[in-house]
Amino acid sequence: MAMMRYAEALNLALREEMARDDSVFVFGEDVAAYGGVFKVTQGLAEAFGDRVRDTPISEQTLTAMAVTAAMAGSRPVLEIMYADFLPLSLDALINQASVYHYIWNGQVSMPFVLRTQGGGGVGTGAQHAKSLDAMVAHVPGLKVVAPVTPADARALLKAAIRDPHPVIFLEHKLLYNLRGEVPEEDDAPGEIGRARLVREGGDVSIFATSRMVLEAEKAADDLAGDGIAAEVIDLRSLRPLDLGAITASVAKTNHAVVVNEGWRFCGYTAELAATIMDRAFDDLDAPVERVATRDMPIPYAETLEREVIPDAAAIAAAARRALA
Amino acid sequence: MAMMRYAEALNLALREEMARDDSVFVFGEDVAAYGGVFKVTQGLAEAFGDRVRDTPISEQTLTAMAVTAAMAGSRPVLEIMYADFLPLSLDALINQASVYHYIWNGQVSMPFVLRTQGGGGVGTGAQHAKSLDAMVAHVPGLKVVAPVTPADARALLKAAIRDPHPVIFLEHKLLYNLRGEVPEEDDAPGEIGRARLVREGGDVSIFATSRMVLEAEKAADDLAGDGIAAEVIDLRSLRPLDLGAITASVAKTNHAVVVNEGWRFCGYTAELAATIMDRAFDDLDAPVERVATRDMPIPYAETLEREVIPDAAAIAAAARRALA
Amino acid sequence: MTANSPSEQELLEMHRRMVLTRCLEETLGEMHKAGRTRGPIHRCDGQEAVGVGATAALAAEDFVTTTHRGHAVYLGRGLDPRRVVAEIFGRETGYCAGRGGHMLLGDVETGMLGGNAIVGASIPAATGMALSMQLQGAARVALAVFGDGAAQTGICHESMNIAALWRLPVVFLLEHNAYGLTVHHSAQSSVPELSARAAGYGMPGETIDGNDVVAVFQAVAQAVQRARRGDGPSLIEARTYRLEGFSTSDMGGYQPEDEIAKWRARDPIMLSRARLAEALGAARVAACEAAARAEMDAAFETALADPMPGFTPHAPSAPYSEPPDGGGR
Amino acid sequence: MTANSPSEQELLEMHRRMVLTRCLEETLGEMHKAGRTRGPIHRCDGQEAVGVGATAALAAEDFVTTTHRGHAVYLGRGLDPRRVVAEIFGRETGYCAGRGGHMLLGDVETGMLGGNAIVGASIPAATGMALSMQLQGAARVALAVFGDGAAQTGICHESMNIAALWRLPVVFLLEHNAYGLTVHHSAQSSVPELSARAAGYGMPGETIDGNDVVAVFQAVAQAVQRARRGDGPSLIEARTYRLEGFSTSDMGGYQPEDEIAKWRARDPIMLSRARLAEALGAARVAACEAAARAEMDAAFETALADPMPGFTPHAPSAPYSEPPDGGGR
Ligand SMILES: Cc1ncc(C[n+]2csc(CCOP(=O)(O)OP(=O)(O)O)c2C)c(N)n1
Ligand SMILES: Cc1ncc(C[n+]2csc(CCOP(=O)(O)OP(=O)(O)O)c2C)c(N)n1
Ligand SMILES: [Mg+2]
Ligand SMILES: [Mg+2]
């Protein structure tokens, strides 16, 4: 076991996979010489030379190149600096990556990873603070993961790199400095598609993603003060979903809150709410409560931004509504 | 009243609004000399000259230009030939159009319309048959409408052009030849945000969008054979939703089926199902049934395509499941 | 004779593939009129020299990507006509078991990866394959075929910049047929000669006669050599013309008759036939053409008798299914 | 003296605005060190001549769009320093009531529409405004300021092609400061001189000294005249240098010391000061600078005392609310 930052855990996973498999390469803006603006790729260029490349600012083409470099035998790991730029990647994801495995009748697989980071809270403004999880999760053929702990960051990035299909790997700007135990000796990849039970509880299930898991934990603390036992589940994998974990928890608590930092309307919480209704309708004593970012651009000023992005208080309030 | 094709009704609306307001202009691929590949803009170039422009194949920039041309005092109507290309427009929609009205504190409005057409059923293949409604409906500050009848096509396009905010106008390749009555003498714009009651019924509510409304009507016929009275509601406006119409219908029938031609996971039916649960939980006797396109690329061969895109049979089966 | 001059045998084979393509297009035209095709079909009559000449200049292990109008590339690359026709008609025996159709045909065996109906997408596609080859240290080249309309897309610019910057082994072949859908290039492109843009990326650019299969072969062969040597990409603008309209759903009216006539007089198959007849005698050429015609006829006959695919949700659609136990409708 | 030569008064005013900008940047740097800024701030120290010289060449009714590094454009365009500072510190009195921050500042009054933090987005933004002006028959021009990194984006290509094709009244001003974030232009761009790309669109292109405010003014004034005449767009590449790193979150280490020193010796404010001192006397220039400094200090003092905005969900956020009765969390 070693304590390390989330960003360091990602760096470790990249190093391990690049050392293990020559076909893995890393590219993106500022990832080589500078080591990435969040320092996730630090030192990789020194260790792996040309397999780590700084690129021009051309997200659309870089994503399309990841798809076909993967078809041609490489395992690209592309860094898109902010999730806000995912719209630039979407054509390649929807009209290329999503298509070929099925349409070409299984002739090709596309083992690439698109790493990006989203989320707000630090005054980066409307074009650098969004979570567009729902947009990528909507695309068939993509897997979407969003680890919260350093250990999961490492294990799931390794799994993503080894996966024969495209994986969108969602990080969060406020997670990079989070420290946690990482079992250095165990270098097995994680399993994509499994949720993580963060905290057990019998009264209400809170299903959250990415940094919202930390807010959900705080909300659970708050609720505990009122004698409410909240179960907190970190979904980890946004697609595919761990349906077993979800339905088992709702069967126990009969109340559910779903939390995601993206916008609400047509957002990721809609799928979670609809899926829970579909799979656990008879277990539900109240409608699933959705906690999401307000349906508006994210303002710069701190006094405004904090009203727009969800926090522990909003989650606790939703849990209380569910139980009311 | 005049009988006309859906495409003709759109053409009429464009003519009327261009004649009424000099600031309206139309641009897009093949819209001028050829009159549009679906002939919606036929004759406009002859009538309005330079205000109708053929463009290079540059969707990303064309969309961004629509945003700022609108800011600068024009009312652009941009045609994006296939909804499959909406990913190319998304950066301009999410990172530009969505942003400015709020972020600039109300200094600007952006009265532009993005017309496009989606949907499958005629062998156009994985890159020309999709419905990406959920992607645009997710973006705050955009309105999204999808008329089904020629009368609504005309009235809502006029409303969209006059709206001070961006409107995404979703057509369907299989609707263009649909004929219907259009009240030529009444040239008032429609009202965005109002659903249309297509058929009354007391047993189950079917909420559908675009061409799926026609399939829902066929499903209702089929269900009627079994003595099941289905209420069919054409949402018309995907954002904003007509919540009153939705909750009133569910209060009456206690069962709901939601239908959209986009993919299921994180798709538009998820929002509908979640919203209905949220607003009408106590009225629901069964979970909301979702009918959507299978989560996979749309195959070319007819034998495959028809298994992937929803039809009346799938809708009727969902209604029967809801009532089971 | 330059180092890139095709042998007589190669010339005859290119001719055969052009004729094969023309037979495919003409039969598709008839089938369309008879109401037997599904979805739009983009014929390349008059442009066969581009796809055929270019693919003839590739090695077996090279890659090629093409557009919605890729029939000459498919057959130029040596794909089996029967399986091409089967794919166009959505049969289980098609290259993609009917899932792709004529615009999205892909074949891993021959590196034909693949047709692409998003305008411009063939460009970054080939560039990505070239990057993979460079990283793998493989002397394999990727050829991107794309249209004059596609040259105006953002990904064309981004790809050319990246390819030139990194000296990727890719060849950019701009198939300039004067129109992007119904719009003349003068209303789409700010410059009449698109090869002029190569200078903005510091790579060689030239405009050639795209109706001369030998000129195409030679220009592409030279660019392929350059790429294989590690000297980076080139841009070749092959001027040609689309004789049969944009697609089977084209309502026509925008291609002037005299323009069509002018280009019909320079039909690439006619030009090639004349050249070959001189070298090999008219009889040998006629025999070659007849064989090609017969081969394509047989391809249609067999393919049309092949079965349509049945829907089996989970093979190879497994990665798409969500939730795991079914998803979909 | 050409027709585009600024008067002495204009020169002094440009100098004042450059100094105003430098004071803003330096004070922001101090505030950042003191932990009083929020989010990244992109300073333009050393590049002031580009934004200031260019906006000085515009008429009052023209439009300008800029980047995440737009301070010289804001102040060059004559925006009120107090409201600029207020916006940077998220105050209710800022140009956007604190909603935009320093990267997304917009002001309809002056046509400063606006800063943009999506790299490249200022280019189609200005092009769209120019299209609107052309259609309205207005003799108003749109100026797009963008970086050398932005020149590699697809929208740059698409916009230049469309603007040249339609002869739109737009001026493309490429502010080449040698880096895109931390990456040197030689690792981003396939050609050393980006003005070379203008030829690919059939428009004039030139590379100028971006640290000489007069050179910038003259080049932009000429391009603006051309655009206003209806002769279409131009590309101006202004070579300059970013003295203070990418942003306040830059960890440095990639800009060589001797490179910085070389450019520091050509500081645009120094160059302008020397020229003006010769013409007007050092005292007058010093007085002008002191006044600018005082104005910016006052702007900070007032702005920092201004209130933060309070959250009111529905004004002007009405079009966003969904469902109508609240939405959001
Ligand atoms: C991104 C995108 N925009 C628009 C279309 C519709 N479309 C299909 S082909 C075509 C014209 C392409 O012109 P060109 O690249 O010259 O190819 P050609 O058809 O002439 O072979 C258009 C606009 C598309 N398929 N993809
Ligand atoms: C589409 C997009 N990609 C990446 C970024 C992150 N980013 C912000 S500024 C920048 C560098 C821009 O370089 P340049 O255009 O030269 O402007 P400069 O910072 O030098 O003024 C990058 C990569 C972004 N904001 N938008
Ligand atoms: Mg063409
Ligand atoms: Mg720069």
Side-chain angles (χ1 to χ4, degrees):
Chain A
M1 285 287 183
M3 280 297 276
M4 61 178 80
R5 292 166 50 244
Y6 185 93
E8 289 164 349
L10 292 170
N11 187 275
L12 177 62
L14 289 169
R15 272 175 204 277
E16 288 173 328
E17 294 305 307
M18 291 188 84
R20 196 186 145 267
D21 181 349
D22 275 354
S23 70
V24 179
F25 75 93
V26 168
F27 69 142
E29 293 153 19
D30 308 84
V31 299
Y34 192 65
V37 293
F38 298 101
K39 294 292 177 191
V40 170
T41 53
Q42 188 148 39
L44 296 182
E46 288 82 342
F48 301 100
D50 201 30
R51 285 167 61 201
V52 185
R53 293 209 185 180
D54 285 327
T55 67
I57 305 167
S58 302
E59 286 84 0
Q60 209 183 332
T61 289
L62 297 172
T63 311
M65 288 174 68
V67 177
T68 56
M71 271 184 200
S74 295
R75 291 188 173 261
V77 181
L78 170 62
E79 177 173 310
I80 296 290
M81 203 182 284
Y82 282 77
D84 305 70
F85 316 149
L86 281 177
L88 294 166
S89 297
L90 270 178
D91 176 57
L93 296 178
I94 294 187
N95 282 316
Q96 307 295 330
S98 165
V99 166
Y100 294 108
H101 182 71
Y102 174 78
I103 291 293
W104 287 353
N105 201 26
Q107 288 185 80
V108 289
S109 56
M110 283 154 290
F112 73 88
V113 180
L114 186 159
R115 289 180 45 241
T116 191
Q117 62 76 35
V122 288
T124 44
Q127 294 169 330
H128 284 71
K130 294 191 290 296
S131 300
L132 297 174
D133 310 1
M135 298 238 161
V136 284
H138 185 46
V139 186
L142 306 183
K143 295 177 183 171
V144 182
V145 298
V148 176
T149 67
D152 279 349
R154 170 166 171 251
L156 287 174
L157 184 50
K158 290 164 70 81
I161 292 171
R162 296 192 201 180
D163 201 285
H165 299 291
V167 180
I168 311 300
F169 196 89
L170 301 174
E171 304 162 12
H172 192 295
K173 52 180 75 54
L174 291 180
L175 289 177
Y176 287 125
N177 283 322
L178 200 83
R179 292 172 65 83
E181 297 275 8
V182 175
E184 271 180 312
E185 58 294 347
D186 171 16
D187 71 348
E191 189 184 351
I192 295 177
R194 292 282 155 250
R196 175 175 68 98
L197 179 64
V198 179
R199 175 183 186 134
E200 278 198 64
D203 296 330
V204 56
S205 304
I206 307 179
F207 301 102
T209 63
S210 192
R211 187 177 77 80
M212 287 298 124
V213 172
L214 306 182
E215 296 295 316
E217 289 192 65
K218 285 190 231 158
D221 285 341
D222 177 37
L223 292 165
D226 281 4
I228 300 170
E231 178 145 302
V232 177
I233 291 181
D234 169 8
L235 289 174
R236 289 201 290 207
S237 170
L238 278 65
R239 182 170 189 166
L241 273 174
D242 188 343
L243 290 173
I246 294 171
T247 51
S249 183
V250 176
K252 183 170 73 174
T253 64
N254 308 120
H255 297 87
V257 175
V258 295
V259 195
N260 174 264
E261 200 178 323
W263 287 310
R264 178 186 171 101
F265 195 82
C266 273
Y268 190 70
T269 59
E271 180 59 44
L272 288 178
T275 292
I276 293 172
M277 170 166 57
D278 200 35
R279 304 273 163 168
F281 188 71
D282 294 334
D283 288 329
L284 281 177
D285 287 349
V288 178
E289 288 287 337
R290 294 160 68 181
V291 181
T293 285
R294 272 184 209 271
D295 285 320
M296 56 186 287
I298 296 172
Y300 168 73
E302 187 166 14
T303 49
L304 303 177
E305 189 182 20
R306 67 169 176 242
E307 297 291 333
V308 171
I309 295 173
D311 58 11
I315 299 169
R320 291 193 175 93
R321 278 200 306 276
L323 290 165
Chain B
M1 283 287 181
M3 281 295 278
M4 61 178 81
R5 292 167 49 244
Y6 185 94
E8 288 163 349
L10 292 170
N11 187 274
L12 176 63
L14 289 169
R15 272 175 205 277
E16 288 173 329
E17 294 305 308
M18 292 187 82
R20 196 184 144 267
D21 181 348
D22 275 353
S23 70
V24 179
F25 75 92
V26 168
F27 68 143
E29 293 152 19
D30 308 85
V31 298
Y34 191 65
V37 294
F38 298 100
K39 294 293 175 191
V40 170
T41 54
Q42 188 147 38
L44 296 181
E46 288 82 342
F48 300 100
D50 201 30
R51 285 167 60 201
V52 184
R53 293 207 184 183
D54 284 328
T55 67
I57 305 167
S58 301
E59 286 83 0
Q60 209 183 332
T61 289
L62 297 172
T63 311
M65 289 174 67
V67 177
T68 55
M71 270 185 200
S74 295
R75 290 187 175 262
V77 181
L78 170 63
E79 177 173 312
I80 296 290
M81 202 181 287
Y82 281 77
D84 305 71
F85 315 149
L86 281 176
L88 293 166
S89 296
L90 269 178
D91 176 57
L93 296 178
I94 294 186
N95 283 316
Q96 307 295 331
S98 166
V99 166
Y100 294 108
H101 182 71
Y102 174 78
I103 290 294
W104 287 352
N105 201 28
Q107 289 185 81
V108 289
S109 56
M110 284 154 289
F112 73 87
V113 180
L114 185 159
R115 288 181 45 241
T116 190
Q117 62 76 35
V122 288
T124 44
Q127 293 169 330
H128 283 70
K130 295 191 288 297
S131 300
L132 297 175
D133 311 0
M135 298 237 162
V136 284
H138 185 45
V139 186
L142 306 184
K143 294 177 184 171
V144 182
V145 298
V148 176
T149 67
D152 279 348
R154 170 165 170 252
L156 287 173
L157 184 50
K158 290 163 71 80
I161 291 171
R162 296 192 201 180
D163 201 285
H165 299 292
V167 179
I168 310 299
F169 196 89
L170 301 173
E171 304 162 13
H172 193 293
K173 52 179 74 56
L174 290 180
L175 289 178
Y176 288 125
N177 284 323
L178 200 83
R179 293 170 65 82
E181 297 276 7
V182 175
E184 270 178 313
E185 58 293 350
D186 171 16
D187 71 347
E191 188 184 351
I192 294 176
R194 292 282 155 250
R196 176 175 67 99
L197 180 64
V198 179
R199 174 183 186 131
E200 278 198 64
D203 296 330
V204 56
S205 305
I206 307 179
F207 301 102
T209 63
S210 192
R211 187 176 77 81
M212 287 299 124
V213 172
L214 307 183
E215 295 295 317
E217 288 191 66
K218 285 189 232 160
D221 286 341
D222 178 38
L223 292 165
D226 281 4
I228 299 170
E231 178 146 302
V232 177
I233 291 182
D234 169 8
L235 290 173
R236 290 200 291 204
S237 170
L238 277 65
R239 181 170 188 163
L241 274 174
D242 188 344
L243 291 173
I246 293 171
T247 52
S249 182
V250 176
K252 182 171 73 174
T253 64
N254 309 119
H255 297 87
V257 175
V258 295
V259 195
N260 174 264
E261 200 178 322
W263 287 310
R264 177 185 173 104
F265 194 83
C266 273
Y268 191 71
T269 59
E271 180 59 46
L272 287 179
T275 292
I276 293 173
M277 169 165 59
D278 200 35
R279 304 272 162 167
F281 188 71
D282 293 335
D283 287 328
L284 281 177
D285 287 349
V288 179
E289 288 287 336
R290 294 160 66 181
V291 181
T293 285
R294 271 182 209 272
D295 285 320
M296 56 187 288
I298 296 172
Y300 169 73
E302 188 166 14
T303 48
L304 303 177
E305 189 184 19
R306 67 169 176 240
E307 297 291 334
V308 170
I309 295 173
D311 58 13
I315 299 169
R320 290 193 176 93
R321 277 198 308 276
L323 290 164
Chain C
M1 291 266 290
T2 78
N4 298 325
S5 290
S7 67
E8 275 176 3
Q9 196 44 50
E10 285 170 331
L11 278 174
L12 194 64
E13 181 57 21
M14 288 194 280
H15 187 72
R16 194 183 71 80
R17 292 183 187 194
M18 289 200 289
V19 173
L20 211 50
T21 307
R22 182 67 58 89
C23 295
L24 172 62
E25 303 307 54
E26 288 175 351
T27 314
L28 285 173
E30 287 160 25
M31 300 281 292
H32 169 69
K33 281 211 194 91
R36 297 185 60 190
T37 58
R38 186 163 192 260
I41 306 270
H42 307 83
R43 295 169 57 177
C44 68
D45 310 57
Q47 304 182 202
E48 293 90 345
V50 180
V52 170
T55 47
L58 296 177
E61 65 276 14
D62 292 337
F63 293 100
V64 56
T65 65
T66 185
T67 68
H68 54 287
R69 195 182 304 287
H71 298 173
V73 172
Y74 302 163
L75 296 173
R77 189 60 177 160
L79 265 59
D80 176 359
R82 177 214 166 162
R83 295 186 62 200
V84 169
V85 175
E87 188 59 37
I88 296 176
F89 286 88
R91 306 295 152 146
E92 184 66 41
T93 52
Y95 272 98
C96 309
R99 287 150 172 79
H102 94 110
M103 293 192 278
L104 275 176
L105 197 153
D107 178 45
V108 166
E109 286 280 286
T110 54
M112 217 299 304
L113 291 177
N116 211 320
I118 298 296
V119 168
S122 58
I123 310 170
T127 308
M129 294 172 200
L131 171 59
S132 178
M133 293 308 107
Q134 183 181 72
L135 285 164
Q136 292 182 40
R140 294 164 72 179
V141 171
L143 167 71
V145 182
F146 59 102
D148 48 305
Q152 320 311 327
T153 63
I155 46 180
C156 177
H157 172 67
E158 294 183 346
S159 298
M160 289 188 181
N161 181 55
I162 291 171
L165 183 70
W166 292 347
R167 295 180 166 258
L168 296 181
V170 56
V171 175
F172 298 114
L173 178 59
L174 197 167
E175 183 172 29
H176 194 311
N177 64 4
Y179 290 86
L181 236 162
T182 68
V183 180
H184 191 255
H185 69 90
S186 60
Q188 291 211 23
S189 170
S190 49
V191 284
E193 289 235 324
L194 287 163
S195 60
R197 292 191 180 154
Y201 310 104
M203 67 178 166
E206 62 174 326
T207 298
I208 62 165
D209 179 358
N211 279 21
D212 177 350
V213 71
V214 177
V216 174
F217 175 91
Q218 288 177 332
V220 174
Q222 194 178 336
V224 166
Q225 280 166 19
R226 180 184 153 85
R228 215 184 295 287
R229 275 199 312 270
D231 290 343
S234 317
L235 171 59
I236 300 164
E237 176 186 17
R239 300 299 287 235
T240 181
Y241 194 77
R242 211 184 58 187
L243 291 172
E244 292 294 334
F246 171 69
S247 81
T248 45
S249 54
D250 192 331
M251 289 171 250
Y254 56 89
Q255 287 180 254
E257 285 303 332
D258 57 338
E259 187 183 79
I260 301 178
K262 192 194 96 189
W263 282 93
R264 218 179 266 290
R266 297 202 65 253
D267 183 315
I269 294 181
M270 260 174 47
L271 298 182
S272 162
R273 181 186 296 135
R275 174 166 16 209
L276 277 171
E278 207 162 295
L280 306 174
R284 198 155 150 215
V285 181
C288 159
E289 293 192 6
R293 228 167 268 283
E295 186 180 350
M296 190 51 77
D297 287 346
F300 269 89
E301 206 175 302
T302 328
L304 288 173
D306 284 339
M308 302 290 287
F311 187 71
T312 47
H314 292 314
S317 57
Y320 299 98
S321 58
E322 174 66 39
D325 54 351
R329 319 187 293 176
Chain D
M1 291 268 291
T2 78
N4 298 324
S5 288
S7 67
E8 274 175 4
Q9 195 45 50
E10 284 170 332
L11 279 174
L12 194 65
E13 180 57 21
M14 288 194 278
H15 188 71
R16 195 183 71 80
R17 293 184 186 192
M18 289 200 288
V19 173
L20 211 50
T21 307
R22 182 66 57 87
C23 294
L24 172 63
E25 303 308 54
E26 287 175 352
T27 313
L28 285 173
E30 287 160 26
M31 299 281 292
H32 170 69
K33 279 210 195 91
R36 298 183 60 192
T37 58
R38 187 164 190 261
I41 305 270
H42 307 84
R43 295 170 58 179
C44 68
D45 310 58
Q47 304 181 200
E48 293 90 346
V50 179
V52 170
T55 46
L58 296 178
E61 66 276 13
D62 291 337
F63 294 101
V64 57
T65 65
T66 184
T67 69
H68 54 287
R69 196 182 302 288
H71 298 173
V73 171
Y74 301 163
L75 296 173
R77 189 61 177 158
L79 266 59
D80 176 359
R82 176 212 166 165
R83 294 186 63 201
V84 170
V85 175
E87 188 59 38
I88 297 176
F89 286 88
R91 306 295 154 145
E92 183 67 40
T93 52
Y95 272 97
C96 309
R99 286 149 173 80
H102 93 109
M103 293 191 278
L104 275 176
L105 197 152
D107 176 46
V108 165
E109 285 281 287
T110 54
M112 216 299 302
L113 291 177
N116 210 319
I118 298 296
V119 168
S122 59
I123 310 169
T127 308
M129 294 171 200
L131 171 59
S132 178
M133 292 308 106
Q134 184 181 71
L135 285 163
Q136 293 182 40
R140 294 164 72 180
V141 171
L143 167 71
V145 182
F146 60 101
D148 49 304
Q152 321 309 326
T153 63
I155 46 180
C156 178
H157 171 67
E158 294 182 347
S159 298
M160 288 187 181
N161 181 55
I162 292 172
L165 184 69
W166 292 347
R167 294 178 168 258
L168 296 181
V170 56
V171 175
F172 297 115
L173 177 60
L174 197 167
E175 184 172 30
H176 194 310
N177 63 4
Y179 290 85
L181 235 163
T182 68
V183 180
H184 191 255
H185 69 91
S186 60
Q188 291 211 23
S189 170
S190 48
V191 284
E193 289 235 325
L194 287 163
S195 60
R197 291 191 180 155
Y201 310 104
M203 67 177 167
E206 61 174 326
T207 298
I208 63 165
D209 179 359
N211 279 20
D212 177 352
V213 72
V214 176
V216 174
F217 176 91
Q218 288 177 334
V220 174
Q222 195 180 333
V224 166
Q225 280 165 20
R226 180 183 154 86
R228 216 184 295 288
R229 274 200 312 269
D231 290 343
S234 317
L235 171 60
I236 300 164
E237 176 186 15
R239 301 299 288 235
T240 181
Y241 193 77
R242 208 182 61 186
L243 291 171
E244 291 295 334
F246 170 71
S247 81
T248 45
S249 56
D250 192 330
M251 290 172 248
Y254 56 88
Q255 286 178 255
E257 284 305 330
D258 57 338
E259 188 183 78
I260 300 178
K262 192 194 95 189
W263 282 92
R264 219 178 264 291
R266 298 203 62 254
D267 184 315
I269 294 181
M270 261 174 45
L271 298 183
S272 162
R273 181 185 296 135
R275 173 166 18 208
L276 277 171
E278 207 163 296
L280 307 174
R284 192 148 156 224
V285 180
C288 159
E289 293 192 8
R293 226 166 268 284
E295 185 181 350
M296 190 51 76
D297 287 347
F300 269 89
E301 207 174 302
T302 329
L304 288 174
D306 284 338
M308 301 291 288
F311 186 70
T312 48
H314 292 313
S317 57
Y320 299 98
S321 59
E322 173 65 38
D325 55 350
R329 318 187 295 173

